[in-house]
Amino acid sequence: MLLRHTTADVMERSALTINPAKTCQPIGALYAALGVHNCLPHSHGSQGCCAYHRSTLTRHYKEPVMAGSSSFTEGSAVFGGQANLLQAITNMFAMYNPDIIAVHTTCLSETIGDDIVQIISKAREEGKVPPGKHVIHANTPSYIGSHVTGFSSMVKGIVTYLAETTGRKRNQVNIIPGWVEPSDMRELRRLARAMGVNPNIFPDTSDVMDAPQTGTHEFYPRGGAPVEEIRHAGDCRSTLALGPTASEAGALALEEKCQVRSEVLELPIGLLATDRFINALRHRSGVRVPGFITDERGRLVDMIADMHQYFYRKRVALFGDPDQLVSLTEFLVTLDMRPVYIVTGTPGKRFEARIRDALGDSVPEAQIRQGAQADMFLLHQMIKKEGVDLLIGNTYGKYIARDEDIPFVRFGFPIIDRVGHSYFPTVAYMGGMRLAEKILSVIMDRQDRNAPEEAFELAM
Ligand code: SF4
């Protein structure tokens, strides 16, 4: 019993978080920056933060994650980190020749109050940024927000610094994919092209965080959205932003800067959210949905119909990031399951309303919790009070799953004790089939485990 001190009685807390259901803002900023080709992310703070952020991403994606650090010492903590960042920009362009450096801050540099805009313009004035190269930034103190808001801030920074309008419109649609896996970004591209849409996807971590093993070390993997393409974002016809928490700020910044009309959708996870995504693409291209996409949808519907008896009325607890939770909740309702506890540590507007929309009137007893005290301890307490049949969330859910003996599906970020999540999409119809299969497998495994010998069936 690893969590033996968790009690079933929930006491309202106002100033204590126990095992947060989120992580640091810079981790999201770093992940977004890795979705730009030839980008070297840079952490403006102390080395410990940077090491933690890199290692968390490496443990999830099983890929090396590079980033510079301003390597604050006691001196920088007192006098500010301007000198360190100027030196870092000089060194990184000289030694690693990136197209772009994406600076994010940490708690320490934010507390000091370093003005990154001013430092970057000083670097430009002093000729430390070579011609044709770029330095961008996002403010990402971790005492507010979460890794998702950090991702959102860096996407906004990418747009603000890079997107331009030339007056020559391009027959392209920007897709801001939200915080999804590299495999998901690849799947979104496949579907957009199949629907006759020429997508400009950024950030795009496919072929960066799931780069194939070629036997040759590439400091900058071949993937990532090229800076030139991102610059053209201002000339694209429209923007599809997937996941309001992660992508809306970038889409609105582009709308404001370049007057590119945007539409914000929930992440296309599950049947209905994918329908809306495909429909949005269809409106943009004016083409009919190709038969093979209709077939993929049909296979997902068939799978749901075949397996519905095992999903029906199962009580589910889920935790993680808002955009994933909203679409996942809707999908679970489609499966006729009952998402009863939904917990995110990421703050932000409209989460509860979005979840209520996804639930409809199907699970009136659902408890939705968000913010600093919506942590893993609280989720465990809720489960102790009234149990669930299934737990869905990142790796950290394994402790609750073990202590309460609940079937557990790993989904979200970070997953550091399994592989596969970065290689197989969970978005769109194919991703829905994978999710349904994962859920069904743990339910059937539990049924087999608990079955007495005379009821231990070979067939479902
Ligand atoms: S919480 Fe702040 S100080 Fe701690 S690792 Fe994250 S960014 Fe660094």
Side-chain angles (χ1 to χ4, degrees), residues 323-339:
D323 295 340
Q324 277 82 359
L325 290 178
V326 170
S327 299
L328 185 60
T329 296
E330 185 183 60
F331 188 42
L332 294 173
V333 171
T334 305
L335 300 178
D336 250 344
M337 302 180 89
R338 303 179 72 74

Side-chain angles (χ1 to χ4, degrees), residues 23-26 46 48-50 52-53 105-108 140-143:
T23 186
C24 298
Q25 282 215 75
S46 55
C49 296
C50 187
Y52 166 57
H53 304 150
T105 54
T106 63
C107 299
L108 178 53
T140 50
S142 281
Y143 39 77

Side-chain angles (χ1 to χ4, degrees), residues 4 25 44 46 74 90 97-98 101-102 124 145-146 148 167 174 218 222 248 258 263 289 390 400 411 429 432 449:
R4 67 180 73 81
Q25 282 215 75
H44 187 55
S46 55
E74 294 87 336
T90 305
N97 193 27
I101 294 172
R124 279 208 201 89
S146 77
V148 188
N174 299 309
E218 304 279 351
R222 69 170 180 230
E248 186 170 32
C258 304
E263 182 180 1
V289 178
L390 178 68
I400 297 174
F411 174 78
Y429 302 123
R449 195 197 76 178

Side-chain angles (χ1 to χ4, degrees), residues 232-432:
H232 290 312
D235 291 331
C236 290
R237 281 175 20 216
S238 62
T239 302
L240 271 181
L242 305 180
T245 314
S247 300
E248 186 170 32
L252 291 180
L254 187 57
E255 198 165 302
E256 193 174 319
K257 186 177 181 192
C258 304
Q259 289 75 54
V260 179
R261 187 171 47 87
S262 65
E263 182 180 1
V264 184
L265 298 174
E266 295 294 351
L267 283 178
I269 292 171
L271 185 71
L272 302 178
T274 305
D275 286 350
R276 293 193 292 270
F277 175 61
I278 295 292
N279 209 29
L281 293 172
R282 188 177 64 80
H283 278 301
R284 275 160 182 77
S285 65
V287 303
R288 290 174 67 86
V289 178
F292 75 88
I293 294 182
T294 308
D295 288 348
E296 287 175 11
R297 182 183 194 280
R299 277 190 283 273
L300 174 56
V301 173
D302 188 47
M303 188 175 181
I304 293 171
D306 289 346
M307 305 303 156
H308 174 260
Q309 60 184 308
Y310 302 105
F311 296 135
Y312 182 63
R313 291 190 70 79
K314 290 278 191 294
R315 287 167 54 83
V316 191
L318 45 155
F319 66 95
D321 303 338
D323 295 340
Q324 277 82 359
L325 290 178
V326 170
S327 299
L328 185 60
T329 296
E330 185 183 60
F331 188 42
L332 294 173
V333 171
T334 305
L335 300 178
D336 250 344
M337 302 180 89
R338 303 179 72 74
V340 287
Y341 308 135
I342 302 154
V343 169
T344 183
T346 294
K349 294 179 189 148
R350 291 204 64 248
F351 174 67
E352 183 164 349
R354 288 162 63 202
I355 291 283
R356 294 272 172 222
D357 279 353
L359 287 167
D361 53 10
S362 61
V363 192
E365 74 273 29
Q367 295 184 44
I368 304 158
R369 301 295 293 261
Q370 176 185 25
Q373 278 72 51
D375 50 26
M376 301 298 289
F377 184 78
L378 175 69
L379 178 67
H380 193 183
Q381 288 187 306
M382 292 155 103
I383 291 172
K384 269 192 178 301
K385 195 131 188 127
E386 191 174 356
V388 292
D389 303 299
L390 178 68
L391 176 65
I392 303 180
N394 64 40
T395 284
Y396 291 101
K398 73 193 278 182
Y399 299 106
I400 297 174
R402 177 168 152 140
D403 276 8
E404 302 303 323
D405 197 20
I406 311 166
F408 176 43
V409 169
R410 286 166 179 76
F411 174 78
F413 178 89
I415 296 173
I416 55 185
D417 62 341
R418 293 292 186 275
V419 293
H421 44 272
S422 51
Y423 294 104
F424 305 106
T426 53
V427 297
Y429 302 123
M430 301 286 279

